[in-house]
Amino acid sequence: MAQSGGLDKQSDLRAAGRTNGVGLPGAFEELGESEDEHGEGCFALGRCVSPDSKDETAQPMFLDPAAMKEKIRKAAAREEYDVTAFYHTTGIWQAIARHPHFEKLTLTVISLNALWIAIDTDLNDSEVLMEAGEIFQIAEYSFCVYFSFEWFVRYKSFRVKCNGLRDPWFVFDSCLVFMMVMETWVMASIMLLVGGAGAGGLGNASILRMA
């Protein structure tokens, strides 16, 4: 009778286990598949974890594709450099510097200057500008005046003047305008005062603007 009672108890336990979904035979008795209160299956070791339960330490197995694309897009998209970001927002100088006609005019003058350098090299036999023909002097002075004016407009456009050092083209143009002024006006004036007739020491620096 005792043996029969033991068998009945084991049968009852197995039946209860099957009802709860954890009474699988063999090695799956503790690692089982059960249904939670919402009727959704779950697979756990020794317990059933509801899909609605939140585990703060748990991390997703796969990253969000949309988030990954957004990170890649932000890393790839770089802000385009624009020197006008350093300019004033009001005033006549920044308005001139920002105007597209001013940029086109500057490129046209640079092209004409390059053409004039070839003409000056072939037709001007004078070693110094002061001894050259009037047409050569007028052309050199005109180019020097315009490039100096262009540099002045851009310089006055900067909101903070030191920001001009952050623009490579402005620094480059500053060096060229300095050499051009030295060659066209300063050196010529010194030679005129001392009566010398030596060659221009700096050469034609304006050709470097074509770089």
Side-chain angles (χ1 to χ4, degrees), residues 144 147-148 150-151 172-182 209:
C144 189
F147 289 137
S148 299
E150 184 228 354
W151 178 89
F172 182 68
D173 288 345
S174 299
C175 296
L176 296 185
V177 170
F178 173 77
M179 290 189 293
M180 195 173 187
V181 169
M182 288 290 295
R209 298 183 68 90

Side-chain angles (χ1 to χ4, degrees), residues 61-190:
M61 182 178 298
F62 301 102
L63 296 177
D64 185 8
M68 292 179 62
K69 290 180 180 179
E70 185 64 23
K71 289 182 179 180
I72 295 174
R73 189 179 297 109
K74 289 182 179 180
R78 295 182 179 180
E79 185 178 356
E80 185 178 357
Y81 174 76
D82 187 6
V83 67
T84 58
F86 299 118
Y87 287 175
H88 287 287
T89 55
T90 58
I92 185 173
W93 301 115
Q94 62 85 27
I96 296 175
R98 293 175 188 270
H99 204 285
H101 290 344
F102 179 71
E103 183 179 357
K104 293 178 181 178
L105 178 60
T106 300
L107 294 176
T108 301
V109 174
I110 291 175
S111 300
L112 292 175
N113 186 37
L115 179 62
W116 177 255
I117 289 174
I119 296 174
D120 182 79
T121 303
D122 291 339
L123 302 179
N124 186 13
D125 296 330
S126 302
E127 295 183 354
V128 291
L129 182 61
M130 299 298 296
E131 297 177 355
E134 292 182 358
I135 185 65
F136 296 104
Q137 294 188 32
I138 293 173
E140 289 293 335
Y141 292 146
S142 299
F143 286 125
C144 189
V145 167
Y146 180 80
F147 289 137
S148 299
F149 172 75
E150 184 228 354
W151 178 89
F152 182 77
V153 168
R154 295 178 61 190
Y155 174 78
K156 293 290 290 183
S157 300
F158 282 105
R159 188 167 53 251
V160 179
K161 305 308 178 185
C162 292
N163 284 337
L165 299 175
R166 301 173 62 179
D167 181 35
W169 283 112
F170 182 76
V171 175
F172 182 68
D173 288 345
S174 299
C175 296
L176 296 185
V177 170
F178 173 77
M179 290 189 293
M180 195 173 187
V181 169
M182 288 290 295
E183 175 195 3
T184 305
W185 290 327
V186 177
M187 296 293 292
S189 300
I190 292 176

